[in-house]
Amino acid sequence: MGEAKEIWSAPITPRTASVVGTPVVASPPVSCPPSQLHSPSLTRSPLLHPEDGDAPRRKTSKTPKTPRTPRTPRTPLRISNLTPKFITPLGSPMRKALRFTKLDPQDAWLPITESRNGNKYYAAFHTLCSGIGIQALVLPVAFTILGWTWGIITMTLAFIWQLYTLWLLVNLHESVEQGVRYCRYLQLCGATFGEKLGKILALFPILYLSAGTCTTLIIIGGSTARTFYQVVCGETCTAKPMTTVEWYLVFTCVAVVLSQLPNLNSIAGVSLIGAVTAVGYCTAIWVTSVARGALPDVSYNPVRTGNSVEDAFSVLNALGIIAFAFRGHNLILEIQSTMPSSEKHPSHVPMWKGVKVSYTIIAACLFPMAIGGYWAYGQLIPANGGMLTALYQFHSRDVSRFVLGLTSFFVVVNGLCSFQIYGMPAFDDMESGYTTRMKKPCPWWLRAFIRVFFGFLCFFIGVAVPFLSQMAGLIGGVALPVTFAYPCFMWLKTKKPKKYSAMWWLNWFLGTLGVALSAILVAASLYVIIDTGVNVSFFNPQ
């Protein structure tokens, strides 16, 4: 490279030529560290000198100007030029991660997404608590219409189908391409089908599942609390028993107090208790029923009226009961949104681990409940209350009070815990209205008022329409697209699988079948309710 250039630590006066009249030679380009390549003062730096470093310095009264060093052509500015070479292989994933972590600031103010420190254990607790509940108690009622063979086949297919759509939702939760997390089922519907159509398709079923399930929990929880009191108190109890409405009120007050927990992550312990009690009472009921043996006059022949139309609608109503037993998909995206997510550690990995464990336990509870309950009671299974009513009706004398009381206690506790997780989407929706309008989080007193209002609104509905728990088939028909149909269409619209591929055909078939079944089941359930009648008693709970 020639002689080393002399670089001084302080600015000095540039030197003139050693001989007057000799033109000044421009400095050749100087190589510098890469970190200085984009320094704005580099081309005029007084620290760089020409090669005649040994020329004598001469002081002059006026410092002559030296000609500028010619500039080299600039390379067009590109992102690739600004990225250091040592992270170039990671550049694309890092940019995706930056897009992927974009979050709506409003999410930090709402109860579902307020805390994002969840994990696979929390996911398992929430999924198990929402997946097992009072709907499992009426599964043997569907078997009285479908019979052994079709009952088991239908239930198995429904379980596999809803597990598949659950996998779709877990993988649709986060979009790396758009850098968005769909933290609520309604958000994913709006992003897939459009805001207006998404609300039309999903708003009513989701709110119906949330508020309707909480109302049903108040009805069954309050009634079971009264039964628990009677079992514990015994036949010799002289205390004046409370009315059914008062038991509803007691259940609602406890549920409202628990609902003051701030967000979905904070109720992980509540969901764990709900999951343990759900497994406990399911196991206790079917084990006790099977241990006592089948009833003497039990019959397993499917109920038939002789009228083909009525029989067909009865079968469809039974399918609605099974669909109602596998509800809970409206909470999966909300549960997954409580987890942290990044490009390297996406949330769908721990979420699916939690789902697999929880649904293994759910299958171990629902299938023995349906099969064992139908074997023990057959056509004698009560349509209202299912297995719980049958346990008290047929075994109140030959089963210990401890087992009966513990089973009732588990049902009440599970109802209180399930109320929290099913009410959370309603709390979130009401609070989002305030935060959207006011651009700030809800104050504590307003959040408390919202939850008290929701709880007592469900209480009022439960008192006004106490026969709501008898409409399991109708509820299952309304909720069926949320569980079985919409996730298939969301996958087709969002992931765009290859046309006429196996995934394309499967989702189109299941989605279309789910929508058709929903319409047929709703019609069949309404027909059965009108034809056979429901114990209608407005404002008169029994």
Side-chain angles (χ1 to χ4, degrees):
M1 289 183 58
E3 296 180 2
K5 301 174 182 61
E6 183 178 356
I7 299 179
W8 295 78
S9 61
I12 59 174
T13 304
R15 290 165 295 187
T16 56
S18 56
V19 180
V20 177
T22 306
V24 179
V25 180
S27 306
V30 179
S31 61
C32 300
S35 60
Q36 297 183 17
L37 286 178
H38 297 283
S39 173
S41 61
L42 179 62
T43 54
R44 302 183 185 182
S45 175
L47 305 181
L48 307 177
H49 307 290
E51 292 185 1
D52 54 344
D54 296 333
R57 300 172 187 169
R58 186 175 62 183
K59 295 182 180 180
T60 58
S61 59
K62 186 176 181 181
T63 305
K65 294 182 179 181
T66 57
R68 296 180 180 179
T69 304
R71 296 185 181 183
T72 56
R74 288 189 175 184
T75 306
L77 186 62
R78 293 192 299 268
I79 298 297
S80 59
N81 295 334
L82 298 178
T83 305
K85 291 183 179 181
F86 64 89
I87 65 169
T88 298
L90 303 177
S92 180
M94 287 180 65
R95 285 193 291 272
K96 286 184 180 179
L98 291 175
R99 292 200 310 270
F100 189 65
T101 54
K102 291 188 297 183
L103 298 174
D104 186 353
Q106 188 182 358
D107 281 348
W109 301 337
L110 298 177
I112 288 178
T113 50
E114 190 175 60
S115 173
R116 292 186 185 269
N117 60 351
N119 51 47
K120 60 183 178 182
Y121 302 105
Y122 287 12
F125 300 159
H126 292 313
T127 306
L128 193 55
C129 183
S130 62
I132 304 180
I134 48 125
Q135 71 275 13
L137 300 175
V138 294
L139 278 173
V141 178
F143 276 58
T144 62
I145 301 171
L146 299 174
W148 279 116
T149 303
W150 285 108
I152 295 175
I153 291 175
T154 303
M155 191 172 171
T156 303
L157 292 177
F159 181 80
I160 296 173
W161 188 355
Q162 61 93 35
L163 193 60
Y164 168 71
T165 54
L166 192 61
W167 177 82
L168 295 180
L169 286 176
V170 168
N171 286 276
L172 286 172
H173 171 77
E174 48 205 2
S175 174
V176 179
E177 293 78 11
Q178 299 180 3
V180 177
R181 293 183 68 179
Y182 299 108
C183 299
R184 295 157 187 85
Y185 196 101
L186 195 59
Q187 288 180 349
L188 182 57
C189 278
T192 305
F193 306 119
E195 291 296 329
K196 293 184 178 179
L197 183 59
K199 287 184 177 180
I200 293 173
L201 294 175
L203 183 60
F204 176 73
I206 289 174
L207 292 181
Y208 187 63
L209 280 173
S210 182
T213 301
C214 289
T215 303
T216 305
L217 288 171
I218 290 176
I219 295 171
I220 295 181
S223 302
T224 309
R226 182 185 62 178
T227 304
F228 172 72
Y229 173 80
Q230 293 173 349
V231 170
V232 172
C233 192
E235 297 178 354
T236 60
C237 184
T238 58
K240 182 181 178 180
M242 293 192 298
T243 64
T244 304
V245 175
E246 290 172 338
W247 281 112
Y248 287 2
L249 184 60
V250 170
F251 183 92
T252 304
C253 290
V254 178
V256 166
V257 171
L258 285 176
S259 69
Q260 300 305 317
L261 293 171
N263 52 62
L264 190 56
N265 256 341
S266 65
I267 66 170
V270 176
S271 294
L272 174 60
I273 296 173
V276 171
T277 53
V279 174
Y281 76 71
C282 283
T283 305
I285 290 175
W286 77 261
V287 167
T288 302
S289 300
V290 171
R292 303 311 301 176
L295 296 180
D297 50 352
V298 68
S299 173
Y300 303 115
N301 296 322
V303 176
R304 294 291 181 264
T305 62
N307 188 326
S308 58
V309 176
E310 292 183 2
D311 291 342
F313 280 119
S314 297
V315 170
L316 293 173
N317 187 59
L319 296 179
I321 293 175
I322 293 177
F324 177 57
F326 292 116
R327 79 198 194 288
H329 278 44
N330 61 306
L331 297 171
I332 291 301
L333 295 177
E334 285 80 354
I335 294 171
Q336 190 172 351
S337 67
T338 63
M339 297 180 175
S341 187
S342 64
E343 184 85 9
K344 189 175 181 181
H345 302 286
S347 63
H348 69 84
V349 176
M351 181 65 190
W352 185 241
K353 290 180 180 178
V355 166
K356 286 188 294 185
V357 172
S358 60
Y359 268 81
T360 301
I361 301 175
I362 289 173
C365 290
L366 297 188
F367 281 90
M369 174 72 75
I371 297 172
Y374 185 56
W375 176 83
Y377 305 112
Q379 299 298 331
L380 300 177
I381 186 80
N384 184 17
M387 290 290 290
L388 187 63
T389 304
L391 182 66
Y392 293 117
Q393 182 176 334
F394 299 112
H395 299 296
S396 59
R397 300 292 181 182
D398 54 0
V399 174
S400 66
R401 288 172 53 194
F402 174 78
V403 174
L404 294 176
L406 185 64
T407 303
S408 301
F409 178 74
F410 279 174
V411 172
V412 174
V413 173
N414 174 257
L416 291 171
C417 298
S418 299
F419 185 95
Q420 311 309 316
I421 191 168
Y422 274 98
M424 197 61 72
F427 304 154
D428 187 88
D429 185 66
M430 288 188 282
E431 289 187 27
S432 67
Y434 175 87
T435 57
T436 302
R437 181 182 296 271
M438 305 302 294
K439 306 299 182 185
K440 62 179 181 179
C442 280
W444 67 268
W445 58 267
L446 181 58
R447 171 173 282 189
F449 173 78
I450 286 174
R451 301 181 182 203
V452 171
F453 171 78
F454 175 80
F456 283 95
L457 176 63
C458 294
F459 165 76
F460 174 78
I461 298 173
V463 173
V465 192
F467 53 89
L468 188 64
S469 59
Q470 303 176 32
M471 305 169 67
L474 180 61
I475 297 175
V478 172
L480 189 143
V482 174
T483 303
F484 295 103
Y486 294 161
C488 300
F489 293 125
M490 292 173 183
W491 186 270
L492 289 170
K493 187 71 179 294
T494 304
K495 298 297 183 178
K496 295 180 174 57
K498 186 178 179 181
K499 200 171 183 180
Y500 305 124
S501 63
M503 198 71 171
W504 188 88
W505 280 113
L506 179 63
N507 284 285
W508 268 114
F509 173 73
L510 294 179
T512 306
L513 180 62
V515 172
L517 279 178
S518 175
I520 296 173
L521 291 181
V522 170
S525 301
L526 290 175
Y527 177 84
V528 170
I529 291 172
I530 295 172
D531 183 62
T532 62
V534 175
N535 186 16
V536 178
S537 54
F538 292 101
F539 295 98
N540 186 26
Q542 301 297 324

